Structure formats: structure tokens, C-alpha cells
Amino acid sequence: MSSAPAQPLPYDPDPERLPRHVAIICDGNGRWAKDRGLPRLSGHWQGYQSVREVVRAASDMRLEALTLYAFSTENWRRPQAETDGLMRLFVEGARRELKELHENNVQMRFSGRLEALPADLRKELDRHCEVTRANTGLVLNICLNYGGRAEIVNAARRLAEKVAAGEITPDEITDTLFEQELYTAGMPDPDLLIRPAGDLRISNYLLWQIAYAEIYFTPVRWPDFRKPHLEEAIAEFQRRERRFGGLK
């Protein structure tokens, strides 16, 4: 069995140098449960508690955007009992959280091939977007049935359709035009990407958007990830020198 959840850490990020957009890969739920002799879904439910706390912390810190990788296009390969349980968790979590999110001025967005999700979940996602559309605080973007390569293919396909329809010419396609076809259109690119649970890879996440993101890896698994761990990651971000290919 793994050790107890990490204790709060003495980090105090500079509020004047916060990242505008933080992206997190919510990883390690299954391993957290296995270490405790629990079903994998218990890990996902505990990970849901981390989502609640991290969203509150990001909102209190006045981050502009927070993107969470909750379910990938590849996660359908898992046992059906697990994917069905995750869909139920997403529906129930959405129903529980809408009131608090709206009261805290959070604007909801969802990224991914949402049309493939169960109808009751799509209904809840649509309701979140409609109710919070005019909110001006934290933009909370949840990636569901998401894949970075699929996102890029979708954007390329839409631009190809516009070229075929005579709306634009190939020479008019720029980085800016391409970004407008991504799920994250209108959001700043992530400044900081956080990967919990010890794996050192990107896992097909925001492949276009993280071109210049600072990447922070931590062995803490997502079910144990709390506000102090977010603060630690941001403090590390603030210690780094960002050059974007140039010199300082």
C-alpha cells in the first residue's frame, strides 16, 4: 500500500506572475485504488474530489483558464464496466457541481468528440455551457473523449471543407486561422502543463497548444493532488525562465 496523501507544502506563488492557463492530465486514479485494494472506480471517485478542490483553488487564485484531461479517445479500450462507471460519474458530478460553479462565476467548456458520449451526459454538458455562458471568471475546460491528434485532424478537415467551398484559399491558412478551428478557440495556450502520477509523457494531450508550455511532473497521483500541489507546481513555473526560442 502506498503512503498517506502528501501533506500541504510551504509554497506561496507570486500572485503577480501566475500562469494564465494551467492544463492538467488527471492521471493515477487506477493505480491509487489498486494500491489500496479497491476497485478502480473508487480511484476515479477520489479523483473527482481532487477536481473539486483544484477548480476551487484555481478560481480563488484567479487563473484565467484551467483545462483537465478527464477521458481520452483511447480510454474506451478499458473494460466496459469501468467506462460505464466513468460515464455515470461524469453525469452525477456535473449535476452536483453546476450550482456552485455558476455561483463562483466559472464558465464551462468541454473539448473532444462529444457526439460519441452518452445522451444523458451530452445533455448535462450542454446545460453547463448554457447556464455559465456569460460568466466572466475562470474558464474550466474539461476534455472528454479527447485526443490531440483527433483535434488536429478535425481542424484540418474543417479548413479543407472551407477551401473546397471557396470560402478561403490554401494560402490564407495561417497559425491563427488554424487555432480558430481547435476546441480551445478563444482560450490562451497553456503556460503550464502538470502531469501527476510519475509518468513522463504527454499522452496525446493538447499537442498544438502546449508548444511552449512549461511541463511539471510530480509522482503524486491525481486522487491525492490538492491545492498545495497546484501551488507547488505554479511556484516551480515561476522559478523558470521562459524564452520562447529567443534569448534574455
Side-chain angles (χ1 to χ4, degrees):
M1 182 177 294
S2 67
S3 59
Q7 296 301 308
L9 301 165
Y11 290 95
D12 187 17
D14 181 352
E16 301 300 320
R17 297 188 296 115
L18 294 173
R20 295 177 66 195
H21 183 177
V22 173
I24 306 177
I25 299 172
C26 304
D27 193 27
N29 297 343
R31 282 169 283 171
W32 182 94
K34 182 179 179 181
D35 285 350
R36 289 159 177 77
L38 299 172
R40 287 178 60 85
L41 282 173
S42 296
H44 294 307
W45 277 97
Q46 186 65 23
Y48 163 58
Q49 304 307 319
S50 296
V51 170
R52 301 182 77 234
E53 179 163 336
V54 168
V55 170
R56 289 190 186 115
S59 181
D60 290 344
M61 295 169 72
R62 302 194 182 280
L63 298 185
E64 187 172 331
L66 175 68
T67 293
L68 302 178
Y69 200 4
F71 191 86
S72 75
T73 51
E74 292 76 26
N75 286 155
W76 293 111
R77 301 171 186 168
R78 296 182 178 183
Q80 185 173 349
E82 182 176 351
T83 57
D84 287 349
L86 277 166
M87 294 304 118
R88 290 194 299 272
L89 169 58
F90 295 147
V91 171
E92 186 169 337
R95 290 171 178 165
R96 288 183 182 183
E97 302 304 324
L98 178 56
K99 183 175 184 293
E100 180 178 342
L101 290 167
H102 186 44
E103 288 175 349
N104 285 281
N105 200 29
V106 174
Q107 181 187 119
M108 294 298 303
R109 292 182 62 162
F110 299 93
S111 295
R113 291 181 167 172
L114 307 180
E115 66 280 0
L117 297 173
D120 57 343
L121 178 54
R122 295 200 308 272
K123 180 179 179 181
E124 285 301 319
L125 304 187
D126 290 343
R127 188 164 72 100
H128 273 247
C129 291
E130 182 60 32
V131 170
T132 67
R133 188 180 307 278
N135 290 349
T136 58
L138 175 74
V139 176
L140 176 57
N141 179 37
I142 306 293
C143 292
L144 291 169
N145 197 27
Y146 173 88
R149 289 180 175 179
E151 178 180 26
I152 291 171
V153 168
N154 289 350
R157 184 178 294 127
R158 284 191 290 270
L159 287 174
E161 290 169 350
K162 290 182 178 181
V163 170
E167 298 175 22
I168 58 173
T169 67
D171 289 342
E172 292 177 303
I173 297 175
T174 61
D175 287 3
T176 300
L177 199 63
F178 191 86
E179 288 169 355
Q180 292 171 4
E181 301 296 337
L182 297 174
Y183 299 134
T184 52
M187 297 174 64
D189 287 341
D191 301 296
L192 172 63
L193 170 64
I194 300 172
R195 174 79 190 239
D199 287 333
L200 306 180
R201 54 178 176 265
I202 296 169
S203 296
N204 196 21
Y205 186 42
L206 301 175
L207 298 179
W208 177 281
Q209 296 91 333
I210 63 169
Y212 284 102
E214 296 296 319
I215 302 179
Y216 176 83
F217 296 105
T218 174
V220 177
R221 291 173 179 169
W222 180 244
D224 289 331
F225 195 98
R226 294 292 189 268
K227 179 181 178 181
H229 304 104
L230 175 64
E231 292 174 338
E232 177 189 11
I234 291 175
E236 170 60 25
F237 166 83
Q238 292 179 344
R239 287 191 286 268
R240 298 183 185 179
E241 182 181 62
R242 306 185 76 201
R243 297 185 297 275
F244 299 97
L247 297 175
K248 282 194 176 182

